[in-house]
Amino acid sequence: MKFIDLGVQRQRIENDLKKRIEKIIQEGKYIMGPEVNELEHVLAEFVGAKKALSCSSGTDALLLALLAKGVGPGDAIFTTPFTFVATAEVISLIGATPVFVDIDRDTYNIDTKDLTHAIAAIKSSNQEDYPIPKNAIKNKLRPAGVIAVDLFGLPADYDKIIKIAHEHNMFVIGDAAQSFGAMYKGKRAGSFGDIACTSFFPAKPLGCYGDGGMCFTDNDDIAAKIASLRSHGTGADKYDNVRIGINGRLDTIQAGILLSKFSIFKNEIELRNSVANRYTELISDLRDYIETPYIPDDCLSVWAQYTLLTNKPGMRDKIQKDLNAKGIPTAIYYPKPLHFQTAFSHLGYPPGSFRVSEACATRVISLPMHPYLSEDQQDFIVEAIKESIQSHASS
Ligand SMILES: *Cc1c(COP(=O)(O)O)cnc(C)c1O
């Protein structure tokens, strides 16, 4: 059994996929060919954003968004420590300071009450209000923006986040790397905040066969800046450089692959939800031991991960070991909150700074999840979990 198995998907699109790739190879427009533009239009419309700018990865999408907002040294960017490293990495890379905010226990997304406290602490340089990075105590940082993460495919609470951010003159970037296709209050992920970023890494809900990403925005000026930044800060033409940028374009072949995969994507969102709902149903009688994911009524998750929360110490690791012995792959997202990573040790956050993130890191486990997981496979997985818990409970 594979954690993510896209064999069936490949069969479904095989003919279309081959035709598209063949055409791109024949035409030879490998960089910024017509498929790139077509993909941007199709996905902008799907998301409900005015502009879509494709780029080389989800990480570069976040980097481009921060660069377009002019972020740099002295700026504080608020995000959670319970996310993939890329979210905070790009903040540090351009010399700004990631300011961590704990997550909500039910959704794994940024806790908006904590966000208010963290902003107050940065403004007052006082860590008694909320844990803040070491360098924010000596030097006053400017609260510049929030990167809200849609963890496991569930959108963050954007109405609240945007309201808080605007009260403090801050921008909002949506890290929709895991949530492309998800919905919040009737709108698609990728349409929230000043700029939203997604990833087409192969394992994401809409993935290509390599690296890829995209920025979405309703703001024409920001869109023009990102278009320039992803192509060496280009101005009127290729050899006119008006700002410092990067080589951050999406390959034409990846755009073609994504167009092909997008043709069945809406159906795959439904399949993912059927798989997730069936997991939740089958696991619900274990609620004394594990919690199934919570999805607010006004949201649709796209289930980048199906993640359980175990409530007894040691149980998570035992379930993982028992399932592994039966050939069932599982994953821990994320075993180490970012404030415990060596790369962020300079921020000086002591253990206990973000209790929910720290607890979740020891208790979460993600199960095999993809649109084509069969009922037989699912029954086998759930049965293995039940056996593991029973032997743990009785030992
Ligand atoms: C995958 C991911 C990214 C980075 O995307 P890449 O395409 O791998 O660079 C950023 N943020 C989150 C939350 C992710 O899951």
Side-chain angles (χ1 to χ4, degrees), residues 57-60 62 83-84 86-87 149 151 175 177-178 199-201 204 211-212 334:
S57 69
T59 306
D60 281 343
L62 291 164
T83 175
F84 182 58
T87 315
V149 183
L151 207 74
D175 182 346
Q178 300 184 10
S199 163
F200 304 126
F201 182 80
K204 308 284 169 159
D211 277 312
Y334 292 91

Side-chain angles (χ1 to χ4, degrees), residues 230-247:
R230 77 172 163 190
S231 205
H232 302 292
T234 185
D237 64 65
K238 203 168 158 181
Y239 300 106
D240 176 34
N241 307 101
V242 296
R243 52 173 67 79
I244 299 298
I246 63 171
N247 175 358

